[in-house]
Amino acid sequence: MADKRTYSSPPRRVALFVTCMVDMIYPEVGVATVELLERHGVEVVFPLEQTCCGQPAFNAGFWDEARPLARRFVDIFEPLLRTKQIDAVVAPSGSCTAMTSHFYRQLLAEEPGYPERAALLAAATFELTEFLVDVLGVEGVDAQFTGRLTYHGCCHLLRELGIDRQPRALLQQVDGAEWVALNGAEECCGFGGLFAVKNSGISTAMGNRKVQNLVRSDADVVALCDVSCMTHINGLLSRQGERCRAVHIAQVLANQVDVRPRTLPEPPAQPLEKPRRWQDTT
Amino acid sequence: MSTSAIDLSLPYKKRVDDALHNQQLKVALDRATGRMAGQRVAAMGAVDAPRLRAQVRQMKEHVLRTWPELLEQLETQVTANGGHVHWAKEAADLQRIVVEIARKANVQKVVKAKSMATEEVHLNQALQRAGLKVVETDLGEYIIQLAGEPPSHIVAPVIHRRVEDIAAIFQRELDMPPTLDPQVICGVARGVLRKEFLSAEMGISGCNFAIAETGTCCIVTNEGNGRMTSTLPRVYVVVMGLEKLVPTVEDAFLQYQALCRSSTGQQCSVYLSMTSGPRKPGDVDGPEEFHLVLLDNGRLDMLAKGYGEALCCIRCGACLNVCPVYREIGGHAYGSTYSGPIGAVISPNIHLEVTDVDKLPYASSLCGACRDACPVQIDLPRMLLELRRDVVEAEGATLFDRAAMQGFSKMMQSRSSYESAGKLGSLASNVLARLSGGNLTFLPGPLSPWTASRDLPPLARHSFREQWQQRRAARKQIV
């Protein structure tokens, strides 16, 4: 985006804005994000005060309830940036990045002092793949994946932040992946936050379109950049007994995802490998 | 078999449910929206679309900045050309004005070209109450008039019907022999409508744009019905929303470009009919009387309320065709003359009677496809968000939602309450998930709509922050 900060030397230290959904439901996505950033020579700090950016309340029209959360978010991250303790904020989510870097402008417009601080923060807040490709200039990823892989462009990522080329470029470099095309890859999956509950019929119909397209694509895994959309797509796939799964792109890039080729026979019953945790080799 | 259209007066939830369960509707919408969206992409791709969009936007913003002056200029020009200009503040005013014109000119029959503004104020019903016969002459509008339905799309009024349904309507209403050949069906309509054109004393049309500097009203059609409506009857009445205004002839063609390419994906329409006034001595055709009725119906207030951006809309329907919500439920489920994303913004703002109008801004996943498709770059998601805020501020939210949001906000304002809630949630959701085999397949109360069609994973046993702190502790020990 035009108003993003540019770096004369590569950023050394970033704060992770992990997002509440990753923190509470998908910690492995946070782990993968940290691994990726550290792999590319960036030190990660994690401000423990962070909770939710306020998007659910904001999108539902409860701006008075969202505002304290927005102020709180700015109070946590902006001083770190201003005092140069960090060079950037990185989040494994297009939606939460859009909330803090686009919609805070609208939400905090009347809060004395905050618009300027929110703007400073917005300029240095990046979605993970945007940070890896545009800021760090990552070209090679050390990732392997056996199976058919495709990509779904989440709405806020694609249309609020204009990020599409970056995640696709990273996925193209995954070794061993067979790339398959997904029809309607840029169409909404129907999640939309509370929309999925308040308008569940429409939301499900939209999601079923996505499921149909995924099944037709014959992909084993669809990578995406938001765990919210991932939850919706997986919720439908799981309920309908489909084999395809949505995973966060960080999981693919950090080698957390393993798909057995379909041609191999079912292995004898064995306990599943435990989800990978930290790789602490240092 | 054709099923009945969705009743607009039903509650929102019922309208949506009816739409989602209507298989014919699904087929009709799939066929048409996909085709129109694809054609738009091709037609806009053939020109410098970013430049065209920026130019049209700039022009429409200029119109809003100089609105009163341009309207006065339009009135002066139309009057100078020998036409009459009328100002209608509300729906009732417009009805009264048009009925009055018809009475004075001793009109029995009215032919109409497409007009959303007249739909908005229910003009047909008012004319019929006054004893006039009204015939819609746009093919789509004619079909739904026969079926007794309102339009369900800004430019494709009968988009909710498949060709099979339309054939059934013609067989029933016009004694057409069974056929699914669109040419034959069109031929039947043409035969009927030609007689109506030749016998009507009054023509009424909408207005795609009116040129202030020349006092010219323009209508964009593909069927030629607009031209016949504006030239054959003795009296021609144009009904125009106050915002459908362009300053110059050059601007008119700019908007025309954007309109044709974005609505039907054409380079230009088959007809562009321009009327600057009544027939002049020596003219071979044209109406003896020309009236322009300008309709406010809440449009001026819309600017004052901060939703002026929506007045830049040129009614191309592109946002409907790309909207994933519209594609599932069609136009009638919105319950308003104006549907889709732009309808969800306009309907609560102008003076329309729409059941559950407060629900419309929520009928969107905020995916932003509409903004990308809009030839005027209207930021529809931003306005939908602001309308939701207005609903909440006007105490439109349920007590339960309000309490839930306040609780959510309070919980998220403190690290300790967030972490405690996370621990509790993890414990509870993992117990529930174990009962149902790994994922949550049943959730109670307000979350039950999620699990009606979708599974949900439980919260992690150990949150990211727990794992982070453990790692930090472990690292310290190593050092």
Side-chain angles (χ1 to χ4, degrees):
Chain A
M1 304 306 281
D3 52 356
K4 283 289 182 200
R5 178 170 156 183
T6 51
Y7 295 85
S8 47
S9 60
R12 308 258 317 262
R13 216 155 184 251
V14 303
L16 173 65
F17 163 34
V18 81
T19 79
C20 56
M21 276 190 84
V22 167
D23 189 8
M24 289 297 168
I25 312 181
Y26 305 103
E28 61 276 14
V29 173
V31 172
T33 303
V34 174
E35 270 191 37
L36 282 172
L37 291 169
E38 289 181 348
R39 193 197 284 172
H40 293 101
V42 177
E43 190 190 335
V44 180
V45 296
F46 180 70
L48 282 157
E49 274 297 314
Q50 63 181 287
T51 58
C52 166
C53 63
Q55 185 170 197
F58 176 70
N59 280 2
F62 288 86
W63 291 21
D64 287 342
E65 282 70 22
R67 223 169 263 123
L69 299 177
R71 283 199 307 261
R72 195 170 177 279
F73 183 91
V74 174
D75 290 341
I76 292 167
F77 285 95
E78 187 265 346
L80 296 175
L81 205 60
R82 186 163 24 94
T83 57
K84 303 203 184 327
Q85 293 180 63
I86 55 166
D87 302 312
V89 177
V90 177
S93 161
S95 175
C96 306
T97 303
M99 178 65 197
T100 59
S101 61
H102 279 201
F103 294 111
Y104 276 9
R105 227 173 295 163
Q106 218 171 331
L107 184 60
L108 296 175
E110 316 263 294
E111 302 283 295
Y114 277 94
E116 301 76 25
R117 295 173 64 200
L120 180 80
L121 188 54
T125 302
F126 298 90
E127 185 274 334
L128 174 64
T129 64
E130 176 191 29
F131 186 74
L132 290 175
V133 174
D134 292 353
V135 180
L136 294 185
V138 169
E139 281 177 358
V141 294
D142 181 21
Q144 292 84 36
F145 173 81
T146 317
R148 296 185 183 86
L149 184 64
T150 192
Y151 173 75
H152 160 75
C154 299
C155 296
H156 278 88
L157 181 85
L158 184 62
R159 281 177 283 267
E160 293 294 340
L161 302 178
I163 298 173
D164 191 46
R165 153 184 67 79
Q166 299 90 331
R168 288 180 183 275
L170 292 170
L171 289 172
Q172 292 294 344
Q173 294 156 19
V174 175
D175 268 351
E178 184 190 333
W179 185 260
V180 295
L182 175 64
N183 218 350
E186 73 298 335
E187 283 171 14
C188 180
C189 75
F191 174 67
L194 280 175
F195 174 79
V197 177
K198 293 275 181 189
N199 276 288
S200 64
I202 305 173
S203 163
T204 301
M206 287 160 68
N208 283 341
R209 239 178 238 269
K210 184 63 65 184
V211 166
Q212 264 175 24
N213 283 327
L214 281 171
V215 171
R216 281 189 200 135
S217 78
D218 206 23
D220 297 306
V221 159
V222 51
L224 36 67
C225 297
D226 273 284
V227 295
S228 46
C229 313
M230 178 177 106
T231 304
H232 192 238
I233 294 173
N234 278 341
L236 288 158
L237 287 167
S238 160
R239 177 62 60 90
Q240 294 172 27
E242 296 295 345
R243 188 176 174 283
C244 176
R245 281 295 174 272
V247 300
H248 194 277
I249 189 166
Q251 295 176 276
V252 178
L253 300 177
N255 280 320
Q256 273 187 3
V257 185
D258 198 14
V259 169
R260 219 170 348 93
R262 291 175 205 204
T263 46
L264 294 184
E266 289 287 316
Q270 267 177 7
L272 282 172
E273 194 191 333
K274 281 193 184 137
R276 277 170 46 133
R277 296 299 180 202
W278 302 105
Q279 281 196 323
D280 250 329
T281 49
T282 47
Chain B
M1 270 303 291
S2 62
T3 50
S4 59
I6 292 148
D7 183 351
L8 265 58
S9 62
L10 290 171
Y12 169 76
K13 233 182 158 44
K14 181 82 177 84
R15 295 196 301 258
V16 168
D17 278 348
D18 286 355
L20 288 172
H21 289 104
N22 187 332
Q23 279 308 309
Q24 286 95 332
L25 176 66
K26 199 173 170 54
V27 172
L29 288 171
D30 269 355
R31 283 182 191 166
T33 56
R35 192 180 65 235
M36 289 172 81
Q39 286 167 343
R40 176 188 60 81
V41 171
M44 286 301 271
V47 292
D48 186 350
R51 186 157 165 231
L52 177 60
R53 295 173 78 205
Q55 284 176 326
V56 180
R57 172 64 183 242
Q58 212 177 7
M59 185 266 287
K60 294 305 285 186
E61 281 183 8
H62 171 70
V63 167
L64 290 182
R65 275 197 303 272
T66 54
W67 212 4
E69 293 88 337
L70 285 173
L71 285 169
E72 275 176 31
Q73 191 186 8
L74 178 69
E75 181 179 32
T76 310
Q77 287 303 322
V78 171
T79 312
N81 296 342
H84 307 275
V85 178
H86 312 259
W87 301 81
K89 183 83 192 128
E90 304 292 336
D93 299 325
L94 190 129
Q95 295 178 352
R96 184 175 40 75
I97 290 165
V98 179
V99 168
E100 193 72 5
I101 296 170
R103 280 218 181 104
K104 275 194 186 148
N106 199 18
V107 170
Q108 316 288 315
K109 187 191 285 182
V110 177
V111 282
K112 274 189 75 210
K114 209 177 149 348
S115 158
M116 292 306 278
T118 61
E119 290 290 339
E120 173 187 327
V121 299
H122 306 295
L123 180 61
N124 287 8
Q125 289 84 333
L127 292 170
Q128 282 159 353
R129 276 198 303 274
L132 293 155
K133 183 181 179 192
V134 184
V135 184
E136 292 286 351
T137 65
D138 172 89
L139 181 59
E141 291 282 352
Y142 180 58
I143 294 165
I144 54 173
Q145 189 182 32
L146 287 178
E149 296 167 359
S152 71
H153 188 285
I154 295 171
V155 292
V158 70
I159 196 169
H160 57 287
R161 291 293 186 194
R162 307 166 306 165
V163 64
E164 295 88 336
D165 308 323
I166 293 162
I169 294 167
F170 274 37
Q171 279 169 239
R172 191 178 66 227
E173 301 293 331
L174 302 173
D175 280 334
M176 182 185 77
T179 176
L180 287 180
D181 183 349
Q183 286 211 4
V184 177
I185 298 174
C186 284
V188 171
R190 180 176 284 129
V192 178
L193 290 176
R194 188 59 55 106
K195 289 185 200 113
E196 306 286 11
F197 279 124
L198 293 170
S199 57
E201 300 91 356
M202 183 170 170
I204 300 179
S205 80
C207 181
N208 289 98
F209 37 87
I211 306 167
E213 68 171 358
T214 57
T216 307
C217 295
C218 307
I219 50 176
V220 178
T221 73
N222 281 320
E223 298 164 19
N225 65 309
R227 177 71 49 87
M228 290 202 267
T229 301
S230 65
T231 53
L232 286 176
R234 277 196 335 258
V235 183
Y236 177 35
V237 178
V238 173
V239 176
M240 173 185 142
L242 278 187
E243 80 284 17
K244 302 291 261 317
L245 193 65
V246 296
T248 65
V249 175
E250 203 182 334
D251 295 325
F253 281 94
L254 189 67
Q255 180 160 338
Y256 179 62
Q257 270 272 321
L259 177 63
C260 295
R261 290 183 187 273
S262 301
S263 59
T264 47
Q266 291 168 291
Q267 291 177 39
C268 60
S269 57
V270 180
Y271 292 87
L272 170 61
S273 306
M274 309 172 89
T275 306
S276 300
R279 176 197 297 225
K280 294 186 178 59
D283 283 357
V284 289
D285 61 7
E288 292 160 22
E289 263 182 54
F290 175 73
H291 299 266
L292 171 62
V293 191
L294 294 158
L295 173 68
D296 175 17
N297 206 26
R299 285 164 171 80
L300 292 169
D301 286 348
M302 209 164 148
L303 189 61
K305 279 191 279 182
Y307 294 98
E309 197 182 342
L311 291 165
C312 294
C313 174
I314 60 170
R315 304 282 191 272
C316 70
C319 63
L320 280 63
N321 299 331
V322 298
C323 176
V325 173
Y326 181 89
R327 269 176 17 186
E328 299 298 343
I329 61 175
H332 290 150
Y334 287 83
S336 165
T337 305
Y338 302 103
S339 56
I342 188 70
V345 170
I346 295 177
S347 303
N349 272 303
I350 59 171
H351 304 158
L352 288 174
E353 279 171 33
V354 179
T355 312
D356 291 337
V357 74
D358 279 359
K359 299 272 196 281
L360 297 189
Y362 291 91
S364 163
S365 65
L366 302 173
C367 83
C370 49
R371 181 185 45 206
D372 279 13
C374 177
V376 205
Q377 301 174 321
I378 299 174
D379 194 346
L380 289 157
R382 176 186 68 80
M383 284 188 283
L384 290 171
L385 281 164
E386 286 175 2
L387 284 164
R388 293 177 183 190
R389 176 205 57 196
D390 294 353
V391 169
V392 171
E393 278 179 3
E395 308 289 324
T398 65
L399 281 176
F400 178 85
D401 285 355
R402 194 168 287 276
M405 274 304 168
Q406 282 167 353
F408 169 80
S409 175
K410 225 171 171 64
M411 185 256 285
M412 289 295 186
Q413 283 175 51
S414 132
R415 175 182 162 188
S416 63
S417 63
Y418 165 73
E419 288 178 353
S420 315
K423 285 212 172 76
L424 195 68
S426 169
L427 201 69
S429 62
N430 276 290
V431 169
L432 271 175
R434 179 161 290 190
L435 291 175
S436 51
N439 272 327
L440 298 164
T441 54
F442 170 78
L443 284 169
L447 291 174
S448 63
W450 180 282
T451 44
S453 58
R454 295 153 287 208
D455 294 342
L456 190 69
L459 300 195
R461 285 177 195 281
H462 300 286
S463 64
F464 175 82
R465 59 183 54 233
E466 279 177 59
Q467 296 183 37
W468 176 269
Q469 283 166 296
Q470 277 163 14
R471 176 169 90 146
R472 219 167 45 170
R475 279 189 164 176
K476 275 192 186 129
Q477 275 174 6
I478 296 166
V479 174

